[in-house]
Amino acid sequence: MTDRLGDRLTTARDHGFVGRRQETAAFRALLTAGDGAVVHVHGPGGIGKTALLHHFGRLGLRAGRPVLQLDARDPHPYGEEVAAALPRDSGALLLLDSVEALAPDPSAPHRGPLPKLPADTLVALAARDAPPLSWRLDPAWRGLLHPMPLGPLDAADGEELLRRRGVPERVRAAALAFTRGHPLALALVADICAQGAAVAYPAEAPEAVRALLAGLLDAAPTALHRAALEAAAQVLVTTEPLLAAVLEVADARPYFAWLRGLSAMEYGPRGVQPHDLVRSALDAELRRRHPERWPALARRAGAYYQRVFTAGDRTRQRGVLADFAYLHRRSPVVGPLLPPAPDGAGEAAVRLDRLTVVRAGEGGVVQACTIAAIHEGAPSARLVRAWADHPACETYTVCGPDGVAAGFYTLLELPAGPLPDAPSDPAVTAARGWLAGRLRGEETALLVRFWMSRDDYQDVSPAQKLIMLRLTRHYLTGHHPTGHRPAVTLLPFADPEFWGPGCAYTDFARLPAADFRCGGRAYGVFVHDWRRTPPLAWLELLMERDRAADPLSVPAPRPPQPLRVLARDEFADAVRDALRRLARPAALSDSPLLAARLVAARCDETADAGTRAAALRDAIEEAAAELSASAVDRRAFRALHHTYLRPAGSPARTAELLGLPMAAYRGQLAWGVGRLTDLLWRQELAGAQE
C-alpha cells in the first residue's frame, strides 16, 4: 500500500500508460548502455510527449539513476536558474519538457546547458518541433542525439487505453475512429464517459479535441464543476484556494478533486493545469458561450494573486508573477512587462531583434565601459569599472546574435545603513541624501545607475525597449545582489523632460532632490515607491490607464491612511504592549501597530479600528503558530501561549502549569516574545503577512 501522494500518482501513471513499445525499447537500450545521450521526443500537442517523459523517468528510477524532471513552462524568469537546477551527479537522467519555452532559438539547449552536464548524463527532451537542422548536422552531436518522433496510437493501443480508463466496450470502436488514435482526444472520451454522459460524434469533426471538450462541459455534474473547468483554462495553474476564490465558495475541495481526476488535466507540484490544447479549446468555448464570464474570472483570480503576492516570500512571489502574467497575457501594456507566459504570449515583445540580456562577465564590463565612455565620457566609464566588482552592483549587457554588447545597464542596491567600499559617485551621494530616513531595517532602494544603448544612447530603440522590460522584471522579482525587492526604485535620465510623460504614465514621479551631475552633464531622476503602490497594484494601474481615454486621470492607489513608520525598538515595544492587551480586544484600539504595514496589508481601505485590531490579533496568533511548528521554539511558544494567547493566570501559576522554575519560565517567555517580534518585524518590512 502506498503512503505518499507521489506514489499514488506514479502508480496511476503506470496504469494509464500504454503503447510506445518501440520508443521504450530504444530508451531502455540507452539506459543499459550507461553512456551519455540526448533523446529528443517531438510531436504535435496532445500526442503524449509528457506522458512518455514520465514513463522514461520511472524507467530511470527503476534502473537506479538519479532523476531530475523540469518543465520549461514553470516560472523560471531567468535562464541561469534553470541551469542551476541541472544535475551534477554522474549517471543522472534529466527530463526536460516543453523545450521550446526556454529560448527563442530552438537549438539553444545544445549550445547552452547540455554540454556542461557530466559526460554520462542521459537527457530526454520533449518539444513540439523536431530538433533543428543546425543541431542534427553538428558533428559534435553526431551519435549523441536520438530524435524520437511521436504519432497517434495504433488501434490496439488506443483500445487498451480506453479499456484501462473504464470506457465501455460499445463506445470504443466509434471513439477510435473519431479520434484517429490521438491520445488526448481518447483521454477526453474517457472523461466524458466517467461523467455518465454519452459521447456525441459529429459527422465531420476535424477539431476532435474542441468537439469533445464541448461535450465534457455539458457533462459536468453541476454548474460549479463546469465553472471550475472554465476557470482552470484561464489561469496558469489551479490550486484549491485559488479555485475557491474564483468560484466564490468556502470549500472547493470537491471541484478541485474532480479536476484532478480528469484525464485532460495534468497534476504537478504547483497544482493542476489543462493540457495546452485543452486550455485553448476551453478558452475559446468560454468566450463564445459566455463572453461576460471571462472578465469576472480574471478579476477574482487577480484579487487572489494580490493577496498571495503580498503574503509570500521571494520564491513564491515569482510564481505568482508568472500566474499573473498568464492571466494578462493578452494585455499589450502589461503582458510584455511580465515573465513570459508558457504559451509564448508576449515573447515577441521581449526578444527584440534577437537581443538577449546576460549578466556581464569581465568582457561584458569592458564593453560597457566603452559604451559609457562614448556617450557619457571618461568619468562615467571609470565609475562603471569601479562599481563592477562591488557586491551591491550588478551589470547586465544587451547582446546581439554575434555576442557583442548592444547596450548595458547597471543596478545598485542602496541599503538604509552604510555602503562600505563604495566609489565616490555623485549619483549615489544624491540618492542616499534623499533616502536618509526613508528606509528602515533591511529595506533597500534600487538605483539604476547606468542604462544606455551602444548606438542610440537613451533614445527609443530595440535595446532601450529591452532594457526597460528587463528593469521592470527586476523591480517585480527582486532579482538584485542580495535578493531584496526594492522599497523604492530610482531611475535617472539624461533628458528628463523627454521621458517625463512616459514616467508619469508608469507612476514614476520626478525627484529633483536626487538629480546629479557627472562629467559635466546633468541628469534628472524619477522615483517609484513600491510600498505605496506594490507590484501587482502597479500592474493593475497600468492596465486601468491603458483602458482609459485620459490615462493620467486614473490615480495611483494610495494607502487609506498614513502608514506609521516605527523603528525596530519602537516596533518591539508595541508588540510587547499588544501582547499584554491581547486578552482584551478593545484595548488594542490605540496600538501603534494598527497603522503599521503589518496590519494595513490585511485590511481593506474601509477597515475601522475594531477590524484592524482583529487583524493584529490574527497576525500575532499566526506568527505564534509558526513558533509552535518549530522544534527549536516550541517550548518558548508554550510559555508565550499560556502567558498571553490563552492566559493561565499569574506568572507563578503559569510556571507551575509549564513545570518550570520561575527563572526558566521567564527565560523561555523572553525568548518567545523576541522570536515572535522577529517574525512580525519581517512581515512589517515586507509589507505583508508571510
mmCIF file of all heavy atoms in Angstrom, residues 34-38 65-66 68 83-94 112-123 141 144:
data_model
loop_
_atom_site.group_PDB
_atom_site.id
_atom_site.type_symbol
_atom_site.label_atom_id
_atom_site.label_comp_id
_atom_site.label_asym_id
_atom_site.label_seq_id
_atom_site.Cartn_x
_atom_site.Cartn_y
_atom_site.Cartn_z
ATOM 1 N N GLY A 34 24.586 3.011 -20.487
ATOM 2 C CA GLY A 34 25.259 3.817 -19.476
ATOM 3 C C GLY A 34 26.062 4.976 -20.007
ATOM 4 O O GLY A 34 26.799 5.618 -19.258
ATOM 5 N N ASP A 35 25.973 5.257 -21.305
ATOM 6 C CA ASP A 35 26.702 6.381 -21.890
ATOM 7 C C ASP A 35 25.790 7.610 -21.956
ATOM 8 O O ASP A 35 24.577 7.513 -21.844
ATOM 9 C CB ASP A 35 27.179 6.036 -23.304
ATOM 10 C CG ASP A 35 28.127 4.839 -23.300
ATOM 11 O OD1 ASP A 35 28.909 4.731 -22.335
ATOM 12 O OD2 ASP A 35 28.069 4.036 -24.248
ATOM 13 N N GLY A 36 26.409 8.746 -22.184
ATOM 14 C CA GLY A 36 25.626 9.955 -22.348
ATOM 15 C C GLY A 36 24.885 9.958 -23.660
ATOM 16 O O GLY A 36 25.376 9.449 -24.676
ATOM 17 N N ALA A 37 23.679 10.519 -23.666
ATOM 18 C CA ALA A 37 22.878 10.606 -24.883
ATOM 19 C C ALA A 37 21.784 11.638 -24.667
ATOM 20 O O ALA A 37 21.432 11.965 -23.523
ATOM 21 C CB ALA A 37 22.270 9.256 -25.245
ATOM 22 N N VAL A 38 21.247 12.157 -25.777
ATOM 23 C CA VAL A 38 20.136 13.102 -25.730
ATOM 24 C C VAL A 38 19.014 12.553 -26.605
ATOM 25 O O VAL A 38 19.178 12.408 -27.820
ATOM 26 C CB VAL A 38 20.550 14.500 -26.224
ATOM 27 C CG1 VAL A 38 19.341 15.434 -26.247
ATOM 28 C CG2 VAL A 38 21.648 15.073 -25.349
ATOM 29 N N ARG A 65 18.967 5.287 -11.453
ATOM 30 C CA ARG A 65 19.555 6.563 -11.856
ATOM 31 C C ARG A 65 18.956 7.709 -11.037
ATOM 32 O O ARG A 65 17.757 7.717 -10.765
ATOM 33 C CB ARG A 65 19.273 6.836 -13.333
ATOM 34 C CG ARG A 65 19.950 5.875 -14.280
ATOM 35 C CD ARG A 65 20.698 6.656 -15.316
ATOM 36 N NE ARG A 65 21.287 5.825 -16.358
ATOM 37 C CZ ARG A 65 22.092 6.285 -17.277
ATOM 38 N NH1 ARG A 65 22.407 7.570 -17.297
ATOM 39 N NH2 ARG A 65 22.604 5.484 -18.194
ATOM 40 N N PRO A 66 19.779 8.724 -10.676
ATOM 41 C CA PRO A 66 19.200 9.958 -10.126
ATOM 42 C C PRO A 66 18.398 10.646 -11.229
ATOM 43 O O PRO A 66 18.897 10.819 -12.343
ATOM 44 C CB PRO A 66 20.422 10.796 -9.737
ATOM 45 C CG PRO A 66 21.589 9.859 -9.758
ATOM 46 C CD PRO A 66 21.246 8.769 -10.727
ATOM 47 N N LEU A 68 16.027 13.923 -12.496
ATOM 48 C CA LEU A 68 15.571 15.298 -12.311
ATOM 49 C C LEU A 68 14.630 15.626 -13.446
ATOM 50 O O LEU A 68 14.991 15.488 -14.619
ATOM 51 C CB LEU A 68 16.746 16.275 -12.309
ATOM 52 C CG LEU A 68 16.375 17.763 -12.254
ATOM 53 C CD1 LEU A 68 15.670 18.092 -10.948
ATOM 54 C CD2 LEU A 68 17.602 18.644 -12.425
ATOM 55 N N ALA A 83 19.579 26.573 -15.405
ATOM 56 C CA ALA A 83 20.902 25.960 -15.468
ATOM 57 C C ALA A 83 21.361 25.508 -14.090
ATOM 58 O O ALA A 83 21.999 24.458 -13.939
ATOM 59 C CB ALA A 83 21.910 26.949 -16.063
ATOM 60 N N ALA A 84 21.033 26.278 -13.048
ATOM 61 C CA ALA A 84 21.462 25.932 -11.694
ATOM 62 C C ALA A 84 20.808 24.649 -11.194
ATOM 63 O O ALA A 84 21.339 23.975 -10.306
ATOM 64 C CB ALA A 84 21.151 27.079 -10.739
ATOM 65 N N ALA A 85 19.647 24.301 -11.755
ATOM 66 C CA ALA A 85 18.939 23.101 -11.312
ATOM 67 C C ALA A 85 19.410 21.839 -12.016
ATOM 68 O O ALA A 85 19.001 20.741 -11.647
ATOM 69 C CB ALA A 85 17.429 23.270 -11.535
ATOM 70 N N LEU A 86 20.263 21.967 -13.009
ATOM 71 C CA LEU A 86 20.681 20.796 -13.770
ATOM 72 C C LEU A 86 21.536 19.867 -12.912
ATOM 73 O O LEU A 86 22.244 20.305 -12.006
ATOM 74 C CB LEU A 86 21.463 21.233 -15.011
ATOM 75 C CG LEU A 86 20.663 22.062 -16.016
ATOM 76 C CD1 LEU A 86 21.543 22.475 -17.179
ATOM 77 C CD2 LEU A 86 19.453 21.306 -16.514
ATOM 78 N N PRO A 87 21.484 18.572 -13.196
ATOM 79 C CA PRO A 87 22.185 17.607 -12.338
ATOM 80 C C PRO A 87 23.697 17.718 -12.441
ATOM 81 O O PRO A 87 24.253 18.011 -13.490
ATOM 82 C CB PRO A 87 21.690 16.246 -12.857
ATOM 83 C CG PRO A 87 21.269 16.511 -14.261
ATOM 84 C CD PRO A 87 20.749 17.908 -14.283
ATOM 85 N N ARG A 88 24.344 17.488 -11.322
ATOM 86 C CA ARG A 88 25.804 17.426 -11.272
ATOM 87 C C ARG A 88 26.286 16.003 -11.028
ATOM 88 O O ARG A 88 27.473 15.718 -11.113
ATOM 89 C CB ARG A 88 26.327 18.330 -10.147
ATOM 90 C CG ARG A 88 25.909 19.793 -10.271
ATOM 91 C CD ARG A 88 26.597 20.484 -11.438
ATOM 92 N NE ARG A 88 26.284 21.899 -11.500
ATOM 93 C CZ ARG A 88 25.297 22.410 -12.217
ATOM 94 N NH1 ARG A 88 24.536 21.607 -12.942
ATOM 95 N NH2 ARG A 88 25.060 23.702 -12.229
ATOM 96 N N ASP A 89 25.351 15.096 -10.705
ATOM 97 C CA ASP A 89 25.717 13.722 -10.375
ATOM 98 C C ASP A 89 26.040 12.926 -11.634
ATOM 99 O O ASP A 89 25.424 13.097 -12.688
ATOM 100 C CB ASP A 89 24.569 13.014 -9.632
ATOM 101 C CG ASP A 89 24.237 13.694 -8.317
ATOM 102 O OD1 ASP A 89 25.161 14.276 -7.727
ATOM 103 O OD2 ASP A 89 23.063 13.646 -7.911
ATOM 104 N N SER A 90 26.996 12.023 -11.512
ATOM 105 C CA SER A 90 27.317 11.121 -12.608
ATOM 106 C C SER A 90 26.166 10.142 -12.812
ATOM 107 O O SER A 90 25.557 9.666 -11.850
ATOM 108 C CB SER A 90 28.613 10.366 -12.280
ATOM 109 O OG SER A 90 28.917 9.443 -13.290
ATOM 110 N N GLY A 91 25.858 9.845 -14.086
ATOM 111 C CA GLY A 91 24.828 8.853 -14.391
ATOM 112 C C GLY A 91 23.415 9.341 -14.218
ATOM 113 O O GLY A 91 22.479 8.537 -14.178
ATOM 114 N N ALA A 92 23.200 10.645 -14.110
ATOM 115 C CA ALA A 92 21.859 11.173 -13.868
ATOM 116 C C ALA A 92 21.001 11.094 -15.127
ATOM 117 O O ALA A 92 21.505 10.998 -16.252
ATOM 118 C CB ALA A 92 21.940 12.614 -13.385
ATOM 119 N N LEU A 93 19.699 11.129 -14.919
ATOM 120 C CA LEU A 93 18.730 11.220 -16.006
ATOM 121 C C LEU A 93 18.023 12.558 -15.870
ATOM 122 O O LEU A 93 17.395 12.841 -14.844
ATOM 123 C CB LEU A 93 17.712 10.071 -15.919
ATOM 124 C CG LEU A 93 16.475 10.182 -16.833
ATOM 125 C CD1 LEU A 93 16.872 10.255 -18.295
ATOM 126 C CD2 LEU A 93 15.518 9.012 -16.575
ATOM 127 N N LEU A 94 18.127 13.394 -16.885
ATOM 128 C CA LEU A 94 17.468 14.698 -16.908
ATOM 129 C C LEU A 94 16.318 14.650 -17.902
ATOM 130 O O LEU A 94 16.507 14.309 -19.067
ATOM 131 C CB LEU A 94 18.452 15.800 -17.312
ATOM 132 C CG LEU A 94 17.838 17.172 -17.624
ATOM 133 C CD1 LEU A 94 17.183 17.764 -16.387
ATOM 134 C CD2 LEU A 94 18.886 18.118 -18.187
ATOM 135 N N GLY A 112 23.824 25.609 -24.893
ATOM 136 C CA GLY A 112 23.894 26.222 -23.576
ATOM 137 C C GLY A 112 24.153 25.230 -22.462
ATOM 138 O O GLY A 112 25.287 24.814 -22.237
ATOM 139 N N PRO A 113 23.088 24.782 -21.749
ATOM 140 C CA PRO A 113 23.322 23.977 -20.549
ATOM 141 C C PRO A 113 23.760 22.539 -20.802
ATOM 142 O O PRO A 113 24.503 21.986 -19.992
ATOM 143 C CB PRO A 113 21.959 24.014 -19.847
ATOM 144 C CG PRO A 113 20.969 24.293 -20.922
ATOM 145 C CD PRO A 113 21.673 25.156 -21.917
ATOM 146 N N LEU A 114 23.328 21.901 -21.897
ATOM 147 C CA LEU A 114 23.596 20.469 -22.050
ATOM 148 C C LEU A 114 25.079 20.120 -22.094
ATOM 149 O O LEU A 114 25.500 19.139 -21.465
ATOM 150 C CB LEU A 114 22.883 19.928 -23.300
ATOM 151 C CG LEU A 114 21.354 19.970 -23.272
ATOM 152 C CD1 LEU A 114 20.783 19.195 -24.444
ATOM 153 C CD2 LEU A 114 20.799 19.437 -21.962
ATOM 154 N N PRO A 115 25.924 20.865 -22.812
ATOM 155 C CA PRO A 115 27.346 20.484 -22.834
ATOM 156 C C PRO A 115 28.027 20.539 -21.470
ATOM 157 O O PRO A 115 29.097 19.959 -21.292
ATOM 158 C CB PRO A 115 27.967 21.519 -23.792
ATOM 159 C CG PRO A 115 26.837 21.960 -24.651
ATOM 160 C CD PRO A 115 25.648 21.963 -23.750
ATOM 161 N N LYS A 116 27.419 21.222 -20.499
ATOM 162 C CA LYS A 116 28.032 21.343 -19.176
ATOM 163 C C LYS A 116 27.706 20.166 -18.266
ATOM 164 O O LYS A 116 28.234 20.070 -17.160
ATOM 165 C CB LYS A 116 27.562 22.642 -18.512
ATOM 166 C CG LYS A 116 27.911 23.893 -19.324
ATOM 167 C CD LYS A 116 27.284 25.137 -18.716
ATOM 168 C CE LYS A 116 27.532 26.357 -19.593
ATOM 169 N NZ LYS A 116 26.862 27.564 -19.075
ATOM 170 N N LEU A 117 26.833 19.270 -18.710
ATOM 171 C CA LEU A 117 26.451 18.121 -17.882
ATOM 172 C C LEU A 117 27.548 17.072 -17.875
ATOM 173 O O LEU A 117 28.362 17.004 -18.807
ATOM 174 C CB LEU A 117 25.159 17.506 -18.423
ATOM 175 C CG LEU A 117 23.913 18.404 -18.394
ATOM 176 C CD1 LEU A 117 22.767 17.719 -19.121
ATOM 177 C CD2 LEU A 117 23.521 18.726 -16.962
ATOM 178 N N PRO A 118 27.592 16.228 -16.819
ATOM 179 C CA PRO A 118 28.544 15.111 -16.832
ATOM 180 C C PRO A 118 28.394 14.265 -18.096
ATOM 181 O O PRO A 118 27.289 14.126 -18.643
ATOM 182 C CB PRO A 118 28.161 14.320 -15.575
ATOM 183 C CG PRO A 118 27.542 15.338 -14.664
ATOM 184 C CD PRO A 118 26.818 16.298 -15.560
ATOM 185 N N ALA A 119 29.498 13.683 -18.542
ATOM 186 C CA ALA A 119 29.538 13.017 -19.849
ATOM 187 C C ALA A 119 28.579 11.836 -19.944
ATOM 188 O O ALA A 119 28.148 11.475 -21.043
ATOM 189 C CB ALA A 119 30.965 12.561 -20.154
ATOM 190 N N ASP A 120 28.249 11.200 -18.816
ATOM 191 C CA ASP A 120 27.369 10.021 -18.874
ATOM 192 C C ASP A 120 25.916 10.361 -18.552
ATOM 193 O O ASP A 120 25.117 9.461 -18.257
ATOM 194 C CB ASP A 120 27.881 8.930 -17.931
ATOM 195 C CG ASP A 120 27.945 9.385 -16.483
ATOM 196 O OD1 ASP A 120 27.758 10.604 -16.230
ATOM 197 O OD2 ASP A 120 28.186 8.544 -15.601
ATOM 198 N N THR A 121 25.552 11.638 -18.594
ATOM 199 C CA THR A 121 24.165 12.030 -18.330
ATOM 200 C C THR A 121 23.273 11.615 -19.498
ATOM 201 O O THR A 121 23.620 11.809 -20.663
ATOM 202 C CB THR A 121 24.051 13.549 -18.125
ATOM 203 O OG1 THR A 121 24.937 13.958 -17.089
ATOM 204 C CG2 THR A 121 22.625 13.949 -17.768
ATOM 205 N N LEU A 122 22.136 11.031 -19.182
ATOM 206 C CA LEU A 122 21.132 10.709 -20.187
ATOM 207 C C LEU A 122 20.052 11.781 -20.118
ATOM 208 O O LEU A 122 19.500 12.048 -19.044
ATOM 209 C CB LEU A 122 20.538 9.329 -19.928
ATOM 210 C CG LEU A 122 19.459 8.839 -20.906
ATOM 211 C CD1 LEU A 122 19.954 8.864 -22.335
ATOM 212 C CD2 LEU A 122 19.005 7.433 -20.516
ATOM 213 N N VAL A 123 19.800 12.422 -21.230
ATOM 214 C CA VAL A 123 18.856 13.534 -21.288
ATOM 215 C C VAL A 123 17.703 13.162 -22.204
ATOM 216 O O VAL A 123 17.915 12.609 -23.285
ATOM 217 C CB VAL A 123 19.543 14.814 -21.819
ATOM 218 C CG1 VAL A 123 18.549 15.970 -21.887
ATOM 219 C CG2 VAL A 123 20.741 15.179 -20.949
ATOM 220 N N TRP A 141 27.568 16.509 -32.141
ATOM 221 C CA TRP A 141 26.429 15.818 -31.546
ATOM 222 C C TRP A 141 26.070 14.537 -32.293
ATOM 223 O O TRP A 141 25.135 13.848 -31.903
ATOM 224 C CB TRP A 141 25.218 16.760 -31.525
ATOM 225 C CG TRP A 141 25.369 17.816 -30.478
ATOM 226 C CD1 TRP A 141 25.943 19.039 -30.632
ATOM 227 C CD2 TRP A 141 24.977 17.715 -29.111
ATOM 228 N NE1 TRP A 141 25.928 19.715 -29.444
ATOM 229 C CE2 TRP A 141 25.336 18.925 -28.484
ATOM 230 C CE3 TRP A 141 24.359 16.730 -28.341
ATOM 231 C CZ2 TRP A 141 25.103 19.176 -27.146
ATOM 232 C CZ3 TRP A 141 24.119 16.976 -27.000
ATOM 233 C CH2 TRP A 141 24.489 18.179 -26.413
ATOM 234 N N LEU A 144 25.201 11.252 -30.442
ATOM 235 C CA LEU A 144 24.634 11.541 -29.122
ATOM 236 C C LEU A 144 23.152 11.873 -29.204
ATOM 237 O O LEU A 144 22.390 11.592 -28.283
ATOM 238 C CB LEU A 144 25.373 12.724 -28.473
ATOM 239 C CG LEU A 144 26.801 12.481 -28.003
ATOM 240 C CD1 LEU A 144 27.407 13.785 -27.494
ATOM 241 C CD2 LEU A 144 26.827 11.428 -26.902
#
